[in-house]
Amino acid sequence: MALNHDGRTKMREQDPQERIKNFDEVALGYTEEEAIREAKRCMQCKTRNCMSGCPVGIDIPGMIREISKGNFKEALMILKSQNNLPAISGRVCPQETQCEKTCLLNNVKGKKPIAIGRLERFLGDLNIELDEPVIEEKKDKKVAVIGAGPAGLTVSSDLAKMGYDVTVYEAFNKAGGVLVYGIPNFRLPKDVVGREVNYVESLGVKFVYNQVVGRTIPFDYLRERYDAVFIGIGAGAPRFLGIEGSNCNNIYSASEFLTRVNLLGANEFPVCDTPIKILDKVAVIGAGNVSMDSARVAKRLGARNVMIVYRRSEEQMPARYEEYQHAIEEGIEFHWLTQPLKYVGDINNNVKSMKCIKMKLGEPDDSGRRRPLPIEGSEFTLNVGMVIEAIGQKANSVLETGFKGLKLNRWSCIETDKNTGKTNIEGVYAGGDIVTGSATVIEAMGAGKRAAKAIHEYLDD
Amino acid sequence: MNNKIISKNKLASKIYEFHIEHDTISKFYQAGQFAIIRISENGERIPLTIVEAKTDYSRFIVKCIGKTTYKLALMKEGAELLEVVGPLGNPTEVDYFGNVVVIGGGIGIAPILPVARALKDKGNSLTVIIGAVTSEQIILEDELGKTADNLIITTDDGTAGEKGLVTERLEELITNNKKIDRIWAIGPTVMMKFVSAIAKREEIPCMVSLNPIMVDGTGMCGACRVEINGEMKFTCVDGPEFDGRFVNWNELIKRQHQYKEEEEKALENFKKEVGDLSWL
Ligand SMILES: Cc1cc2nc3c(=O)[nH]c(=O)nc-3n(C[C@H](O)[C@H](O)[C@H](O)COP(=O)(O)OP(=O)(O)OC[C@H]3O[C@@H](n4cnc5c(N)ncnc54)[C@H](O)[C@@H]3O)c2cc1C
Ligand SMILES: Cc1cc2nc3c(=O)[nH]c(=O)nc-3n(C[C@H](O)[C@H](O)[C@H](O)COP(=O)(O)OP(=O)(O)OC[C@H]3O[C@@H](n4cnc5c(N)ncnc54)[C@H](O)[C@@H]3O)c2cc1C
Ligand code: SF4
Ligand code: SF4
Ligand code: FES
């Protein structure tokens, strides 16, 4: 069993040189012994500090106690009462800034916090038959859920368990949202998401795929036919830097790049019909999770030289530490404090270079991070064959054109009541990225849980 | 049932018409909109204009140019497409403008039919110019003839109508002092570019339906981005119709060729698999 000097039980991983040739999962999960060992490190603190870091309030000490005794089913039941999708959150939750950050072991010299996420993943992956979910008596009220991302899936399963007749309308041909078309297989295998979706289906939730509400089917049409509506359409529209040359060929948004590969199988072209370029020098702009994912996908497609270009420095990088480490191991290069100024294309308009400027850090900005400032006269040119911009997503403009009457906030996201997800339109609720802007899977789930409760209170009146 | 091919007709060499069952298109379609289709599990998502929608079917007209469109043409009546997402895109802005000239080139003749009909319904006086390489490729002549006040046909080789290009017929109308309040042009990008140049010179608003490469068709990827009047727009949600006078045509043309190599390879492999396709 692999131990670290800081006490933490290591998780086995695929070797970097091997894994850059495949899309299989990188982190391989705990065995039963490893999970029990890790759980036994927990001090069962009375103060339950870890819980204050979890957006959905999981009874973490309770769950860990049961694991340490080998009572996996009990542990899973505790977990599932607050978290519908543990196999997913265990893999993608930014634990190091949430539950694992508030874990008291951080205060013990030389110790690392309990690997709460890994334990969750372990439980989520166990093939344990839980007792059949109790589905309350059928109610004659219908709810439409728009968008099958983590927010929509959570609302749907909670309401279905309460006996409501739930129909999900999803723009794509698969459920999962960013979990299927954004986060790559090597970080979150598609069958893990598929399993969770099957569970939601087993509760009697109906899925209508390939319907873009507000486009292929009017929002009002659904409102007239359902007693309540939940909007969980995510913030999927890409932002672009908008600098000169942005429309050169081979410049992708991360959304396009990842959708081509994750949803349409472009990594298997020509077996799959959707093509993707595989060019040598790839620059990925930005340093969040989306950038790490894009860079690592590009590497797996065979790009020799993949670099991440970020205007701030390593300390301000928003990506999860683990993903950053994995990226380094896979040979991704990092250009810190570098801002692209313009793209230059060749005669066919294929991008061939990128003019950049060096940055330095100034005073803190609104986000509390030190503001990057250009260093005059430090312009230089990077040769690139392909660029992936991963500088953030925003609400799709369909929200404004197709969902008339909804009150939006100043970031063009839906304005809601924090505790209930209630919008300004009666019977219409919203949650997830479409309310908060790009956030996290667990926050989208939390919003889904709160909205399900509020919708139930509204319909039960 | 959704996505079923109710009927398939050959209109000309490599041009096929499909009637496909689809509820939301039948219910909500307006002229100018398109759908994204995917034939099978490993297939690509491609956009196709919805030419007409009735309560029990919607109508598409497709020209075989690459693997997906060839594959579609080989499908049989009764078969089902894996996905049909529609209607997408903004409808054509139909209104009474006065004298309108509607121009369709090649496979672009198909998408102008719904536009021409909608404009006629608003009482516009309608001149329709259609052009193709040769007479065999002229489609929808009867239906457009019934809709237009004046139908002008051109072919590159002179086998039908007048010999020459649609732009020459447009110039002719202008030299004959015909007052034109608005132009619509749909066809090969180069044709739309030249029609737009004439419109710009004459200061006539000129709507074109752009056909960049699309992936999702719902505003979530930016593959379809085009430069309009110096601004970045997404064709699938901000268009597909724009005033051609403000389109950055050269950039669009180059973007359309991004995957040329891959497309050729895909078609070549496909032909090896299914054999000769020249009979289609
Ligand atoms: C590449 C990438 C990596 C990420 N990595 C992490 C990570 O490691 N950890 C983490 O916690 N978070 C991560 N995130 C963020 C996280 O995925 C999101 O915060 C989360 O998915 C939001 O959930 P949601 O349900 O609000 O929306 P989404 O997951 O965006 O789902 C919205 C769904 O609605 C559908 N939809 C959109 N418009 C319509 C419409 N008009 N009609 C019908 N359906 C519609 C979409 O197709 C989609 O299925 C990542 C995001 C990306 C893009
Ligand atoms: C809004 C819109 C409406 C359209 N309406 C029609 C129509 O009614 N009838 C018709 O025959 N064609 C129409 N097209 C064009 C049609 O989508 C392409 O012919 C088709 O995608 C070609 O696919 P392929 O695999 O057969 O050819 P490929 O060999 O893949 O490509 C041939 C050419 O088609 C274009 N193309 C390729 N992939 C795509 C894609 N995913 N999206 C858009 N263009 C692509 C490229 O410019 C390429 O050079 C329309 C395009 C758009 C954008
Ligand atoms: S859901 Fe996320 S934050 Fe909450 S306990 Fe699990 S890993 Fe930690
Ligand atoms: S704070 Fe850490 S050690 Fe304490 S109960 Fe929570 S997980 Fe266990
Ligand atoms: S096709 Fe993806 S945004 Fe238009």
PDB file of all heavy atoms in Angstrom, chain B residues 102-104 108-117 120 126-130 138-153:
ATOM      1  N   VAL B 102     -34.618  38.066 -55.443  1.00  0.00           N
ATOM      2  CA  VAL B 102     -34.127  36.916 -54.684  1.00  0.00           C
ATOM      3  C   VAL B 102     -33.277  36.062 -55.616  1.00  0.00           C
ATOM      4  O   VAL B 102     -33.713  35.706 -56.709  1.00  0.00           O
ATOM      5  CB  VAL B 102     -35.310  36.096 -54.133  1.00  0.00           C
ATOM      6  CG1 VAL B 102     -34.806  34.827 -53.445  1.00  0.00           C
ATOM      7  CG2 VAL B 102     -36.120  36.931 -53.144  1.00  0.00           C
ATOM      8  N   ILE B 103     -32.052  35.785 -55.172  1.00  0.00           N
ATOM      9  CA  ILE B 103     -31.109  35.087 -56.048  1.00  0.00           C
ATOM     10  C   ILE B 103     -30.670  33.775 -55.420  1.00  0.00           C
ATOM     11  O   ILE B 103     -30.254  33.752 -54.258  1.00  0.00           O
ATOM     12  CB  ILE B 103     -29.861  35.968 -56.288  1.00  0.00           C
ATOM     13  CG1 ILE B 103     -30.295  37.337 -56.847  1.00  0.00           C
ATOM     14  CG2 ILE B 103     -28.872  35.286 -57.227  1.00  0.00           C
ATOM     15  CD1 ILE B 103     -29.165  38.349 -56.942  1.00  0.00           C
ATOM     16  N   GLY B 104     -30.761  32.701 -56.186  1.00  0.00           N
ATOM     17  CA  GLY B 104     -30.299  31.410 -55.677  1.00  0.00           C
ATOM     18  C   GLY B 104     -29.313  30.804 -56.659  1.00  0.00           C
ATOM     19  O   GLY B 104     -29.562  30.763 -57.865  1.00  0.00           O
ATOM     20  N   GLY B 108     -28.091  26.494 -53.488  1.00  0.00           N
ATOM     21  CA  GLY B 108     -28.742  27.667 -52.882  1.00  0.00           C
ATOM     22  C   GLY B 108     -30.124  27.966 -53.447  1.00  0.00           C
ATOM     23  O   GLY B 108     -30.871  28.768 -52.888  1.00  0.00           O
ATOM     24  N   ILE B 109     -30.475  27.312 -54.536  1.00  0.00           N
ATOM     25  CA  ILE B 109     -31.836  27.495 -55.064  1.00  0.00           C
ATOM     26  C   ILE B 109     -32.852  26.948 -54.055  1.00  0.00           C
ATOM     27  O   ILE B 109     -33.934  27.508 -53.880  1.00  0.00           O
ATOM     28  CB  ILE B 109     -32.014  26.780 -56.431  1.00  0.00           C
ATOM     29  CG1 ILE B 109     -31.020  27.351 -57.461  1.00  0.00           C
ATOM     30  CG2 ILE B 109     -33.449  26.924 -56.931  1.00  0.00           C
ATOM     31  CD1 ILE B 109     -31.002  26.583 -58.791  1.00  0.00           C
ATOM     32  N   ALA B 110     -32.484  25.876 -53.373  1.00  0.00           N
ATOM     33  CA  ALA B 110     -33.426  25.269 -52.421  1.00  0.00           C
ATOM     34  C   ALA B 110     -33.785  26.212 -51.274  1.00  0.00           C
ATOM     35  O   ALA B 110     -34.959  26.477 -51.030  1.00  0.00           O
ATOM     36  CB  ALA B 110     -32.875  23.941 -51.917  1.00  0.00           C
ATOM     37  N   PRO B 111     -32.796  26.730 -50.551  1.00  0.00           N
ATOM     38  CA  PRO B 111     -33.163  27.605 -49.421  1.00  0.00           C
ATOM     39  C   PRO B 111     -33.830  28.924 -49.810  1.00  0.00           C
ATOM     40  O   PRO B 111     -34.404  29.572 -48.937  1.00  0.00           O
ATOM     41  CB  PRO B 111     -31.830  27.851 -48.700  1.00  0.00           C
ATOM     42  CG  PRO B 111     -30.768  27.426 -49.631  1.00  0.00           C
ATOM     43  CD  PRO B 111     -31.352  26.410 -50.538  1.00  0.00           C
ATOM     44  N   ILE B 112     -33.759  29.333 -51.088  1.00  0.00           N
ATOM     45  CA  ILE B 112     -34.461  30.588 -51.404  1.00  0.00           C
ATOM     46  C   ILE B 112     -35.961  30.383 -51.565  1.00  0.00           C
ATOM     47  O   ILE B 112     -36.733  31.335 -51.475  1.00  0.00           O
ATOM     48  CB  ILE B 112     -33.901  31.339 -52.634  1.00  0.00           C
ATOM     49  CG1 ILE B 112     -34.074  30.517 -53.890  1.00  0.00           C
ATOM     50  CG2 ILE B 112     -32.495  31.838 -52.423  1.00  0.00           C
ATOM     51  CD1 ILE B 112     -34.026  31.369 -55.132  1.00  0.00           C
ATOM     52  N   LEU B 113     -36.387  29.130 -51.771  1.00  0.00           N
ATOM     53  CA  LEU B 113     -37.828  28.912 -51.965  1.00  0.00           C
ATOM     54  C   LEU B 113     -38.654  29.412 -50.771  1.00  0.00           C
ATOM     55  O   LEU B 113     -39.582  30.197 -50.954  1.00  0.00           O
ATOM     56  CB  LEU B 113     -38.117  27.438 -52.275  1.00  0.00           C
ATOM     57  CG  LEU B 113     -39.602  27.093 -52.448  1.00  0.00           C
ATOM     58  CD1 LEU B 113     -40.211  27.788 -53.667  1.00  0.00           C
ATOM     59  CD2 LEU B 113     -39.813  25.574 -52.566  1.00  0.00           C
ATOM     60  N   PRO B 114     -38.336  29.016 -49.537  1.00  0.00           N
ATOM     61  CA  PRO B 114     -39.145  29.515 -48.416  1.00  0.00           C
ATOM     62  C   PRO B 114     -39.052  31.034 -48.255  1.00  0.00           C
ATOM     63  O   PRO B 114     -40.054  31.682 -47.903  1.00  0.00           O
ATOM     64  CB  PRO B 114     -38.545  28.810 -47.185  1.00  0.00           C
ATOM     65  CG  PRO B 114     -37.216  28.296 -47.611  1.00  0.00           C
ATOM     66  CD  PRO B 114     -37.304  28.050 -49.078  1.00  0.00           C
ATOM     67  N   VAL B 115     -37.892  31.599 -48.534  1.00  0.00           N
ATOM     68  CA  VAL B 115     -37.729  33.048 -48.411  1.00  0.00           C
ATOM     69  C   VAL B 115     -38.607  33.750 -49.447  1.00  0.00           C
ATOM     70  O   VAL B 115     -39.343  34.693 -49.142  1.00  0.00           O
ATOM     71  CB  VAL B 115     -36.237  33.432 -48.596  1.00  0.00           C
ATOM     72  CG1 VAL B 115     -36.061  34.937 -48.614  1.00  0.00           C
ATOM     73  CG2 VAL B 115     -35.373  32.792 -47.516  1.00  0.00           C
ATOM     74  N   ALA B 116     -38.545  33.244 -50.677  1.00  0.00           N
ATOM     75  CA  ALA B 116     -39.338  33.852 -51.760  1.00  0.00           C
ATOM     76  C   ALA B 116     -40.827  33.774 -51.423  1.00  0.00           C
ATOM     77  O   ALA B 116     -41.568  34.754 -51.564  1.00  0.00           O
ATOM     78  CB  ALA B 116     -39.050  33.135 -53.079  1.00  0.00           C
ATOM     79  N   ARG B 117     -41.258  32.632 -50.929  1.00  0.00           N
ATOM     80  CA  ARG B 117     -42.683  32.477 -50.598  1.00  0.00           C
ATOM     81  C   ARG B 117     -43.104  33.441 -49.500  1.00  0.00           C
ATOM     82  O   ARG B 117     -44.157  34.072 -49.577  1.00  0.00           O
ATOM     83  CB  ARG B 117     -42.968  31.048 -50.155  1.00  0.00           C
ATOM     84  CG  ARG B 117     -43.040  30.089 -51.320  1.00  0.00           C
ATOM     85  CD  ARG B 117     -43.332  28.697 -50.810  1.00  0.00           C
ATOM     86  NE  ARG B 117     -43.585  27.787 -51.915  1.00  0.00           N
ATOM     87  CZ  ARG B 117     -43.532  26.473 -51.803  1.00  0.00           C
ATOM     88  NH1 ARG B 117     -43.240  25.909 -50.621  1.00  0.00           N
ATOM     89  NH2 ARG B 117     -43.786  25.714 -52.841  1.00  0.00           N
ATOM     90  N   LYS B 120     -43.317  36.925 -50.837  1.00  0.00           N
ATOM     91  CA  LYS B 120     -44.477  37.092 -51.718  1.00  0.00           C
ATOM     92  C   LYS B 120     -45.746  37.256 -50.882  1.00  0.00           C
ATOM     93  O   LYS B 120     -46.599  38.106 -51.168  1.00  0.00           O
ATOM     94  CB  LYS B 120     -44.591  35.861 -52.634  1.00  0.00           C
ATOM     95  CG  LYS B 120     -45.607  35.997 -53.744  1.00  0.00           C
ATOM     96  CD  LYS B 120     -45.176  37.065 -54.741  1.00  0.00           C
ATOM     97  CE  LYS B 120     -46.386  37.744 -55.379  1.00  0.00           C
ATOM     98  NZ  LYS B 120     -46.031  39.019 -56.017  1.00  0.00           N
ATOM     99  N   LEU B 126     -41.774  40.443 -56.755  1.00  0.00           N
ATOM    100  CA  LEU B 126     -40.666  39.518 -56.588  1.00  0.00           C
ATOM    101  C   LEU B 126     -40.026  39.088 -57.902  1.00  0.00           C
ATOM    102  O   LEU B 126     -40.672  38.502 -58.760  1.00  0.00           O
ATOM    103  CB  LEU B 126     -41.238  38.281 -55.880  1.00  0.00           C
ATOM    104  CG  LEU B 126     -40.298  37.345 -55.182  1.00  0.00           C
ATOM    105  CD1 LEU B 126     -39.614  38.072 -54.027  1.00  0.00           C
ATOM    106  CD2 LEU B 126     -41.082  36.152 -54.634  1.00  0.00           C
ATOM    107  N   THR B 127     -38.740  39.399 -58.030  1.00  0.00           N
ATOM    108  CA  THR B 127     -37.970  38.850 -59.144  1.00  0.00           C
ATOM    109  C   THR B 127     -37.061  37.774 -58.584  1.00  0.00           C
ATOM    110  O   THR B 127     -36.363  38.020 -57.602  1.00  0.00           O
ATOM    111  CB  THR B 127     -37.105  39.944 -59.806  1.00  0.00           C
ATOM    112  OG1 THR B 127     -37.969  40.969 -60.267  1.00  0.00           O
ATOM    113  CG2 THR B 127     -36.292  39.379 -60.963  1.00  0.00           C
ATOM    114  N   VAL B 128     -37.096  36.588 -59.173  1.00  0.00           N
ATOM    115  CA  VAL B 128     -36.228  35.518 -58.700  1.00  0.00           C
ATOM    116  C   VAL B 128     -35.235  35.171 -59.798  1.00  0.00           C
ATOM    117  O   VAL B 128     -35.622  34.950 -60.949  1.00  0.00           O
ATOM    118  CB  VAL B 128     -37.047  34.275 -58.298  1.00  0.00           C
ATOM    119  CG1 VAL B 128     -36.115  33.109 -57.959  1.00  0.00           C
ATOM    120  CG2 VAL B 128     -37.952  34.585 -57.107  1.00  0.00           C
ATOM    121  N   ILE B 129     -33.959  35.169 -59.448  1.00  0.00           N
ATOM    122  CA  ILE B 129     -32.933  34.748 -60.406  1.00  0.00           C
ATOM    123  C   ILE B 129     -32.322  33.457 -59.886  1.00  0.00           C
ATOM    124  O   ILE B 129     -31.849  33.417 -58.745  1.00  0.00           O
ATOM    125  CB  ILE B 129     -31.801  35.801 -60.521  1.00  0.00           C
ATOM    126  CG1 ILE B 129     -32.375  37.193 -60.818  1.00  0.00           C
ATOM    127  CG2 ILE B 129     -30.784  35.381 -61.570  1.00  0.00           C
ATOM    128  CD1 ILE B 129     -31.317  38.301 -60.802  1.00  0.00           C
ATOM    129  N   ILE B 130     -32.354  32.399 -60.696  1.00  0.00           N
ATOM    130  CA  ILE B 130     -31.675  31.184 -60.253  1.00  0.00           C
ATOM    131  C   ILE B 130     -30.627  30.782 -61.285  1.00  0.00           C
ATOM    132  O   ILE B 130     -30.806  30.967 -62.487  1.00  0.00           O
ATOM    133  CB  ILE B 130     -32.650  30.010 -59.981  1.00  0.00           C
ATOM    134  CG1 ILE B 130     -33.498  29.670 -61.198  1.00  0.00           C
ATOM    135  CG2 ILE B 130     -33.527  30.316 -58.781  1.00  0.00           C
ATOM    136  CD1 ILE B 130     -34.421  28.470 -60.984  1.00  0.00           C
ATOM    137  N   ILE B 138     -30.713  22.719 -62.561  1.00  0.00           N
ATOM    138  CA  ILE B 138     -31.730  23.714 -62.171  1.00  0.00           C
ATOM    139  C   ILE B 138     -32.877  22.973 -61.482  1.00  0.00           C
ATOM    140  O   ILE B 138     -33.472  22.067 -62.062  1.00  0.00           O
ATOM    141  CB  ILE B 138     -32.260  24.464 -63.420  1.00  0.00           C
ATOM    142  CG1 ILE B 138     -31.159  25.340 -64.031  1.00  0.00           C
ATOM    143  CG2 ILE B 138     -33.504  25.285 -63.083  1.00  0.00           C
ATOM    144  CD1 ILE B 138     -30.860  26.617 -63.286  1.00  0.00           C
ATOM    145  N   ILE B 139     -33.156  23.347 -60.240  1.00  0.00           N
ATOM    146  CA  ILE B 139     -34.218  22.659 -59.495  1.00  0.00           C
ATOM    147  C   ILE B 139     -35.306  23.654 -59.088  1.00  0.00           C
ATOM    148  O   ILE B 139     -35.088  24.876 -59.132  1.00  0.00           O
ATOM    149  CB  ILE B 139     -33.663  21.963 -58.221  1.00  0.00           C
ATOM    150  CG1 ILE B 139     -32.896  22.972 -57.354  1.00  0.00           C
ATOM    151  CG2 ILE B 139     -32.777  20.778 -58.583  1.00  0.00           C
ATOM    152  CD1 ILE B 139     -32.507  22.449 -55.980  1.00  0.00           C
ATOM    153  N   LEU B 140     -36.465  23.131 -58.734  1.00  0.00           N
ATOM    154  CA  LEU B 140     -37.584  23.916 -58.193  1.00  0.00           C
ATOM    155  C   LEU B 140     -38.102  24.993 -59.139  1.00  0.00           C
ATOM    156  O   LEU B 140     -38.701  25.966 -58.704  1.00  0.00           O
ATOM    157  CB  LEU B 140     -37.192  24.570 -56.848  1.00  0.00           C
ATOM    158  CG  LEU B 140     -36.628  23.658 -55.755  1.00  0.00           C
ATOM    159  CD1 LEU B 140     -36.343  24.470 -54.489  1.00  0.00           C
ATOM    160  CD2 LEU B 140     -37.589  22.520 -55.424  1.00  0.00           C
ATOM    161  N   GLU B 141     -37.870  24.802 -60.428  1.00  0.00           N
ATOM    162  CA  GLU B 141     -38.260  25.815 -61.403  1.00  0.00           C
ATOM    163  C   GLU B 141     -39.767  26.083 -61.350  1.00  0.00           C
ATOM    164  O   GLU B 141     -40.201  27.241 -61.353  1.00  0.00           O
ATOM    165  CB  GLU B 141     -37.855  25.322 -62.793  1.00  0.00           C
ATOM    166  CG  GLU B 141     -38.047  26.339 -63.875  1.00  0.00           C
ATOM    167  CD  GLU B 141     -37.648  25.795 -65.262  1.00  0.00           C
ATOM    168  OE1 GLU B 141     -36.864  24.808 -65.316  1.00  0.00           O
ATOM    169  OE2 GLU B 141     -38.124  26.350 -66.263  1.00  0.00           O
ATOM    170  N   ASP B 142     -40.576  25.007 -61.251  1.00  0.00           N
ATOM    171  CA  ASP B 142     -42.026  25.195 -61.245  1.00  0.00           C
ATOM    172  C   ASP B 142     -42.498  25.953 -60.020  1.00  0.00           C
ATOM    173  O   ASP B 142     -43.271  26.904 -60.113  1.00  0.00           O
ATOM    174  CB  ASP B 142     -42.758  23.837 -61.284  1.00  0.00           C
ATOM    175  CG  ASP B 142     -42.512  23.139 -62.602  1.00  0.00           C
ATOM    176  OD1 ASP B 142     -42.007  23.813 -63.534  1.00  0.00           O
ATOM    177  OD2 ASP B 142     -42.807  21.930 -62.697  1.00  0.00           O
ATOM    178  N   GLU B 143     -42.031  25.487 -58.852  1.00  0.00           N
ATOM    179  CA  GLU B 143     -42.487  26.133 -57.619  1.00  0.00           C
ATOM    180  C   GLU B 143     -42.058  27.591 -57.560  1.00  0.00           C
ATOM    181  O   GLU B 143     -42.831  28.454 -57.136  1.00  0.00           O
ATOM    182  CB  GLU B 143     -41.951  25.382 -56.399  1.00  0.00           C
ATOM    183  CG  GLU B 143     -42.727  24.114 -56.124  1.00  0.00           C
ATOM    184  CD  GLU B 143     -42.089  23.276 -55.041  1.00  0.00           C
ATOM    185  OE1 GLU B 143     -41.073  22.614 -55.332  1.00  0.00           O
ATOM    186  OE2 GLU B 143     -42.594  23.310 -53.909  1.00  0.00           O
ATOM    187  N   LEU B 144     -40.828  27.883 -57.978  1.00  0.00           N
ATOM    188  CA  LEU B 144     -40.367  29.267 -57.943  1.00  0.00           C
ATOM    189  C   LEU B 144     -41.099  30.089 -59.006  1.00  0.00           C
ATOM    190  O   LEU B 144     -41.422  31.258 -58.789  1.00  0.00           O
ATOM    191  CB  LEU B 144     -38.857  29.338 -58.143  1.00  0.00           C
ATOM    192  CG  LEU B 144     -38.065  28.966 -56.886  1.00  0.00           C
ATOM    193  CD1 LEU B 144     -36.606  28.683 -57.220  1.00  0.00           C
ATOM    194  CD2 LEU B 144     -38.167  30.063 -55.820  1.00  0.00           C
ATOM    195  N   GLY B 145     -41.383  29.457 -60.138  1.00  0.00           N
ATOM    196  CA  GLY B 145     -42.139  30.140 -61.203  1.00  0.00           C
ATOM    197  C   GLY B 145     -43.493  30.591 -60.695  1.00  0.00           C
ATOM    198  O   GLY B 145     -43.960  31.695 -60.992  1.00  0.00           O
ATOM    199  N   LYS B 146     -44.130  29.743 -59.896  1.00  0.00           N
ATOM    200  CA  LYS B 146     -45.451  30.098 -59.354  1.00  0.00           C
ATOM    201  C   LYS B 146     -45.365  31.211 -58.316  1.00  0.00           C
ATOM    202  O   LYS B 146     -46.324  31.952 -58.114  1.00  0.00           O
ATOM    203  CB  LYS B 146     -46.083  28.857 -58.695  1.00  0.00           C
ATOM    204  CG  LYS B 146     -46.820  27.993 -59.682  1.00  0.00           C
ATOM    205  CD  LYS B 146     -47.532  26.861 -58.952  1.00  0.00           C
ATOM    206  CE  LYS B 146     -47.440  25.597 -59.789  1.00  0.00           C
ATOM    207  NZ  LYS B 146     -47.302  24.387 -58.986  1.00  0.00           N
ATOM    208  N   THR B 147     -44.239  31.301 -57.629  1.00  0.00           N
ATOM    209  CA  THR B 147     -44.107  32.283 -56.549  1.00  0.00           C
ATOM    210  C   THR B 147     -43.670  33.644 -57.076  1.00  0.00           C
ATOM    211  O   THR B 147     -44.143  34.678 -56.617  1.00  0.00           O
ATOM    212  CB  THR B 147     -43.041  31.787 -55.531  1.00  0.00           C
ATOM    213  OG1 THR B 147     -43.334  30.436 -55.215  1.00  0.00           O
ATOM    214  CG2 THR B 147     -43.050  32.625 -54.270  1.00  0.00           C
ATOM    215  N   ALA B 148     -42.769  33.638 -58.057  1.00  0.00           N
ATOM    216  CA  ALA B 148     -42.155  34.887 -58.514  1.00  0.00           C
ATOM    217  C   ALA B 148     -43.042  35.622 -59.515  1.00  0.00           C
ATOM    218  O   ALA B 148     -43.792  35.005 -60.264  1.00  0.00           O
ATOM    219  CB  ALA B 148     -40.810  34.582 -59.159  1.00  0.00           C
ATOM    220  N   ASP B 149     -42.937  36.943 -59.509  1.00  0.00           N
ATOM    221  CA  ASP B 149     -43.576  37.707 -60.578  1.00  0.00           C
ATOM    222  C   ASP B 149     -42.763  37.570 -61.851  1.00  0.00           C
ATOM    223  O   ASP B 149     -43.262  37.678 -62.956  1.00  0.00           O
ATOM    224  CB  ASP B 149     -43.657  39.185 -60.174  1.00  0.00           C
ATOM    225  CG  ASP B 149     -44.530  39.362 -58.944  1.00  0.00           C
ATOM    226  OD1 ASP B 149     -45.731  39.058 -59.035  1.00  0.00           O
ATOM    227  OD2 ASP B 149     -43.996  39.730 -57.864  1.00  0.00           O
ATOM    228  N   ASN B 150     -41.482  37.339 -61.650  1.00  0.00           N
ATOM    229  CA  ASN B 150     -40.588  37.228 -62.788  1.00  0.00           C
ATOM    230  C   ASN B 150     -39.480  36.259 -62.426  1.00  0.00           C
ATOM    231  O   ASN B 150     -38.765  36.478 -61.462  1.00  0.00           O
ATOM    232  CB  ASN B 150     -40.026  38.650 -63.067  1.00  0.00           C
ATOM    233  CG  ASN B 150     -39.047  38.651 -64.211  1.00  0.00           C
ATOM    234  OD1 ASN B 150     -39.034  37.724 -65.040  1.00  0.00           O
ATOM    235  ND2 ASN B 150     -38.213  39.683 -64.269  1.00  0.00           N
ATOM    236  N   LEU B 151     -39.379  35.133 -63.146  1.00  0.00           N
ATOM    237  CA  LEU B 151     -38.333  34.155 -62.849  1.00  0.00           C
ATOM    238  C   LEU B 151     -37.288  34.177 -63.954  1.00  0.00           C
ATOM    239  O   LEU B 151     -37.605  34.006 -65.124  1.00  0.00           O
ATOM    240  CB  LEU B 151     -38.937  32.743 -62.738  1.00  0.00           C
ATOM    241  CG  LEU B 151     -37.922  31.612 -62.523  1.00  0.00           C
ATOM    242  CD1 LEU B 151     -37.263  31.691 -61.152  1.00  0.00           C
ATOM    243  CD2 LEU B 151     -38.584  30.242 -62.708  1.00  0.00           C
ATOM    244  N   ILE B 152     -36.056  34.419 -63.582  1.00  0.00           N
ATOM    245  CA  ILE B 152     -34.969  34.461 -64.563  1.00  0.00           C
ATOM    246  C   ILE B 152     -34.040  33.274 -64.301  1.00  0.00           C
ATOM    247  O   ILE B 152     -33.619  33.055 -63.168  1.00  0.00           O
ATOM    248  CB  ILE B 152     -34.164  35.774 -64.431  1.00  0.00           C
ATOM    249  CG1 ILE B 152     -35.093  36.980 -64.617  1.00  0.00           C
ATOM    250  CG2 ILE B 152     -33.012  35.807 -65.419  1.00  0.00           C
ATOM    251  CD1 ILE B 152     -34.449  38.306 -64.255  1.00  0.00           C
ATOM    252  N   ILE B 153     -33.761  32.517 -65.373  1.00  0.00           N
ATOM    253  CA  ILE B 153     -32.882  31.357 -65.210  1.00  0.00           C
ATOM    254  C   ILE B 153     -31.577  31.600 -65.955  1.00  0.00           C
ATOM    255  O   ILE B 153     -31.576  32.135 -67.066  1.00  0.00           O
ATOM    256  CB  ILE B 153     -33.582  30.091 -65.743  1.00  0.00           C
ATOM    257  CG1 ILE B 153     -34.833  29.820 -64.882  1.00  0.00           C
ATOM    258  CG2 ILE B 153     -32.651  28.880 -65.728  1.00  0.00           C
ATOM    259  CD1 ILE B 153     -35.691  28.686 -65.375  1.00  0.00           C
TER     260      ILE B 153
END
